[in-house]
Amino acid sequence: MAETADARWANRSSLLAVLLAGGQHSRAGLTQQTGLSAATVSRVVEGLLDEGLVREGAVLQTGRRGRQGVVIEVAAERGVAVGVDLGGTTCRFLATDLLGHSPRYREEPTPRHLAADDLADWLAERVRALYADAAAPDVLRAGVIGLPGAVAADGLGVRGATNLPQIEGDLFTRRVRRALEGTVAFGNDADLALEGELRHGAARTADTAVMFTVGAGFGAGVAVNRHVRGGPTGLVGEFGFLPVDSDDHTVEELVGAEGLMRAAREAGLDVATAADLFVDSSPAARAVIDRFERALGVALIAVTIAYEPELVVLGGRVSASIDAAMTTRLRERVRRRLPACPELVHSELADLAGALGAVSRGLTALRVRFDVAADAAAAVRADLELPTLLAPAGTR
């Protein structure tokens, strides 16, 4: 019976998913891993060789008897993914090839003074520069950009970007999309940070997890059954909007660095950074931090009621000041009111969580462009070169 078009596509998808996960594979090994017949594997491989998407490499020893087979490997330079984490103070850019290898990382201060169109042009210029580093013919490109606000299901509308209000609406996102080739997608920065932790960091073994990003502002991402959720308007997980006290202060106003510094000025405190407040023993500083802790406790109770996560990952530059004693007190707040309490853990990916999550989604988009089924594309775990990426900034 002749192979149908659907069957041909499914066979190609199955084989590519194995190859895109990395490693060395002979045709015999691909037959074993995919469950396809040797003839089908040969036919798919020959087609991919003709397209230049895979190539034959060195001879690989296989099996207990030392039988040999030629290595089939992906032409990784045929695709480039760029992940961007556009923060209120710093913008981080990470590019990799189709296998998640050869990482190129940059970071720059976010030019917060620029209007929406100028900020879009600034960002697009830097993404294009990373694309240009991968100049192979017929290269496919995918960029995923994390934003400090709720991103609607249409992938363009932005709300609640208190730290970069000029990106609200869709003027900024549409201009970026027009300026860049290939696939361009946008996501909430906390959602993408959680994506990074799910794939490569503190949440790698969790099915249900929440991420709090405590930086210039406050963001939260939610994953159920390892799927990061957003909602029609992107408001799922936006616990920063929760009111905390009778003055209607929100969680974000009380825990983000900008809110902390504003409270410090109002209290007459002379501190250079939000982190200084956590080590200042004066009554005024303690009052600011007590409000911080109370607000974070409100968010923790809310996510526990809503999702009962296994763990909550703490990320963002302010979270580094949350010590073990405060973590214990936060969990006690939850236990006094609820029968369950998630673990509280610090991010393993630090400042790179958002960019890693973004580039992971970019790689998934590239796999789909190369005809891998969406579910299989998302399930592939790229072997990103994390030791290189997580090295101190001066040594990368």
Side-chain angles (χ1 to χ4, degrees):
M1 180 182 295
E3 190 179 45
T4 67
D6 285 347
R8 285 196 298 274
W9 177 83
N11 293 337
R12 174 190 168 98
S13 170
S14 177
L15 191 143
L16 267 176
V18 172
L19 289 170
L20 287 166
Q24 294 185 322
H25 305 280
S26 65
R27 296 190 190 210
L30 290 169
T31 299
Q32 183 177 18
Q33 290 197 46
T34 62
L36 301 174
S37 70
T40 298
V41 166
S42 249
R43 187 161 56 249
V44 175
V45 168
E46 291 301 323
L48 294 173
L49 285 167
D50 289 342
E51 293 177 45
L53 186 51
V54 303
R55 56 176 159 249
E56 294 179 316
V59 173
L60 177 69
Q61 295 289 122
T62 63
R64 285 180 299 176
R65 297 182 181 179
R67 285 178 287 186
Q68 295 183 334
V70 176
V71 170
I72 307 298
E73 59 187 12
V74 170
E77 69 278 5
R78 285 290 306 278
V80 57
V82 173
V84 180
D85 181 10
L86 178 63
T89 56
T90 304
C91 190
R92 298 177 174 88
F93 303 84
L94 173 61
T96 75
D97 64 22
L98 186 54
L99 288 175
H101 296 167
S102 305
R104 300 179 299 284
Y105 177 77
R106 301 176 186 175
E107 62 180 56
E108 295 188 36
T110 300
R112 301 178 57 174
H113 63 284
L114 295 180
D117 52 357
D118 293 328
L119 182 61
D121 293 344
W122 175 88
L123 188 145
E125 179 183 353
R126 281 147 183 79
V127 173
R128 281 196 301 270
L130 286 169
Y131 283 161
D133 289 344
D138 302 321
V139 66
L140 289 184
R141 299 171 172 86
V144 175
I145 300 162
L147 305 176
V151 180
D154 66 5
L156 291 171
V158 181
R159 299 174 59 191
T162 54
N163 295 309
L164 283 176
Q166 65 268 51
I167 72 172
E168 295 209 15
D170 62 4
L171 172 63
F172 170 83
T173 53
R174 289 185 185 279
R175 190 172 179 105
V176 171
R177 184 168 283 181
R178 285 195 302 270
L180 294 175
E181 298 178 48
T183 300
V184 181
F186 301 90
N188 171 261
D189 55 358
D191 288 349
L192 291 170
L194 178 55
E195 186 97 39
E197 297 290 342
L198 285 166
R199 289 178 176 270
H200 307 288
R204 65 171 64 86
T205 62
D207 288 323
T208 302
V210 169
M211 177 133 191
F212 286 165
T213 55
V214 195
F218 176 84
V222 175
V224 178
N225 295 327
R226 298 192 62 79
H227 176 67
V228 178
R229 304 179 63 178
T233 61
L235 288 176
V236 171
E238 291 295 326
F239 295 97
F241 290 116
L242 285 173
V244 174
D245 55 28
S246 58
D247 293 326
D248 220 26
H249 289 115
T250 65
V251 169
E252 180 166 50
E253 289 170 338
L254 296 179
V255 306
E258 294 199 353
L260 287 170
M261 293 301 290
R262 182 167 54 251
R265 289 192 298 270
E266 291 171 354
L269 292 165
D270 183 17
V271 292
T273 69
D276 295 337
L277 288 165
F278 290 81
V279 295
D280 187 332
S281 59
S282 69
R286 287 312 316 158
V288 172
I289 296 306
D290 285 346
R291 288 203 305 170
F292 169 93
E293 189 173 318
R294 187 164 61 252
L296 200 56
V298 167
L300 185 58
I301 289 168
V303 302
T304 304
I305 292 170
Y307 303 105
E308 201 169 339
E310 298 163 52
L311 55 83
V312 173
V313 182
L314 301 172
R317 58 192 169 98
V318 174
S319 72
S321 297
I322 300 174
D323 60 15
M326 184 179 291
T327 297
T328 299
R329 292 195 300 272
L330 285 166
R331 297 192 74 216
E332 287 173 351
R333 284 177 181 270
V334 177
R335 289 197 187 96
R336 285 199 298 267
R337 293 166 175 83
L338 302 176
C341 181
E343 292 294 322
L344 280 176
V345 299
H346 282 277
S347 164
E348 291 183 9
L349 305 177
D351 292 340
L352 279 170
L356 281 165
V359 87
S360 293
R361 282 198 187 175
L363 288 168
T364 297
L366 284 178
R367 296 172 197 132
V368 171
R369 293 277 299 278
F370 283 112
D371 283 341
V372 178
D375 288 349
V380 173
R381 185 185 182 279
D383 185 22
L384 294 172
E385 296 167 344
L386 293 182
T388 299
L389 292 172
L390 295 174
T395 64
R396 278 198 288 263

